[in-house]
Amino acid sequence: MIPGARPDLILSSGFLAFGRHVGFLRGLEAAGVDFDAVVGTSSGSIVGALYVAGHSPRAIEAMLEEFRRPILKLRLHARPLHGVFSMGSLIAFLRPRLPARIEDLPRPFAVGVMDADGRHRLLVDGPLPEAIAASSAVPRLFAPVRVGDAHYRDGGAVDRLGVAAWRKWRGPRDAIVHRVARTLGAVTVDELDDLVVVDSPPSGASLFSLGDVAAQIREGEARTKAALMEAFADRARAIA
């Protein structure tokens, strides 16, 4: 990563890994890293969109209190064979906090989803709260979400990062990837050698509790600072 450059950010899927992603963003801010575009999948799309919309990591952390016991926010879907729960509560939560459409965000943003044919896609325009809800709709657990004229599910079911799709969208550029270890979703082999990668363990969260979110944030921040220091040092040695 080139010091002073504005890299893109890629926030992986991760089951209820909100605290991990908030810690990542806090680490970036502490290191003075600005960014350009953001790609988010599942929990990464929720935290990423809120951040791009102007909510600080601390503000997002405060929002998580509303979801400390996620099961209390869930509503059964009218057609349980399509998915046990509806994403209606998440959409209702996001609407007053985000622009209506992806392209209305102040920076480029893309949401990783899976289409009806099981293929990965990045949505870069269209209804924003619905796209994020779709990206978080784990198959069988949640019903698919209609976004525009199509229905989508959790992008992490086929690609937890969306790096290949990001490269097609944005072309050659630097990126910082926050990769939360897999709990659910696809096992993929990603070409990340030229990117800065921050690895975090699974959140340990469940539908009954997000767990120790403050500890997750602290750990995510520390891991991000360490990874950035190593990346800057490696680039400095390469230039020398």
Side-chain angles (χ1 to χ4, degrees):
M1 186 172 67
I2 301 173
R6 289 177 55 186
D8 288 355
L9 306 180
I10 300 175
L11 281 63
S12 80
S13 67
F15 190 63
L16 302 173
F18 311 118
R20 300 291 190 204
H21 287 306
V22 171
F24 169 69
L25 297 177
R26 280 180 47 170
L28 294 179
E29 289 195 349
V33 175
D34 196 5
F35 66 97
D36 195 355
V38 175
V39 174
T41 302
S42 195
S43 60
S45 73
I46 296 173
V47 175
L50 290 168
Y51 190 56
V52 174
H55 300 283
S56 69
R58 190 170 297 279
I60 299 171
E61 179 183 0
M63 293 177 196
L64 296 181
E65 286 297 320
E66 188 170 335
F67 289 88
R68 183 159 290 279
R69 297 185 65 190
I71 193 71
L72 299 181
K73 292 291 183 178
L74 298 180
R75 299 293 180 267
L76 293 175
H77 191 257
R79 298 180 178 179
L81 291 179
H82 292 218
V84 178
F85 298 109
S86 163
M87 275 293 178
S89 295
L90 178 58
I91 294 172
F93 168 81
L94 292 173
R95 276 180 175 160
R97 295 169 171 85
L98 294 175
R101 297 184 64 82
I102 298 172
E103 59 267 35
D104 293 337
L105 287 165
R107 306 194 195 201
F109 187 74
V111 183
V113 297
M114 177 177 69
D115 67 19
D117 295 322
R119 296 173 299 193
H120 179 266
R121 288 189 57 183
L122 283 185
L123 301 181
V124 298
D125 55 31
L128 177 56
E130 289 80 3
I132 293 170
S135 184
S136 306
V138 177
R140 293 181 293 279
L141 186 59
F142 294 99
V145 178
R146 185 180 182 88
V147 185
D149 296 329
H151 286 82
Y152 299 101
R153 293 183 188 265
D154 178 13
V158 285
D159 191 332
R160 300 189 61 245
L161 292 174
V163 169
W166 162 76
R167 292 187 194 277
K168 291 180 181 178
W169 176 45
R170 296 283 289 167
R173 62 179 58 238
D174 282 338
I176 305 175
V177 178
H178 186 218
R179 180 171 57 185
V180 180
R182 177 179 174 272
T183 301
L184 301 170
V187 178
T188 57
V189 178
D190 300 293
E191 298 292 335
L192 304 177
D193 290 346
D194 58 333
L195 306 179
V196 177
V197 180
V198 180
D199 280 309
S200 291
S203 66
S206 73
L207 290 179
F208 297 96
S209 174
L210 291 183
D212 191 342
V213 173
Q216 294 170 29
I217 292 173
R218 288 193 300 270
E219 184 175 9
E221 182 176 2
R223 285 174 175 269
T224 302
K225 290 178 180 177
L228 292 176
M229 289 181 63
E230 182 177 353
F232 285 134
D234 287 346
R235 293 295 173 92
R237 285 193 292 267
I239 294 171

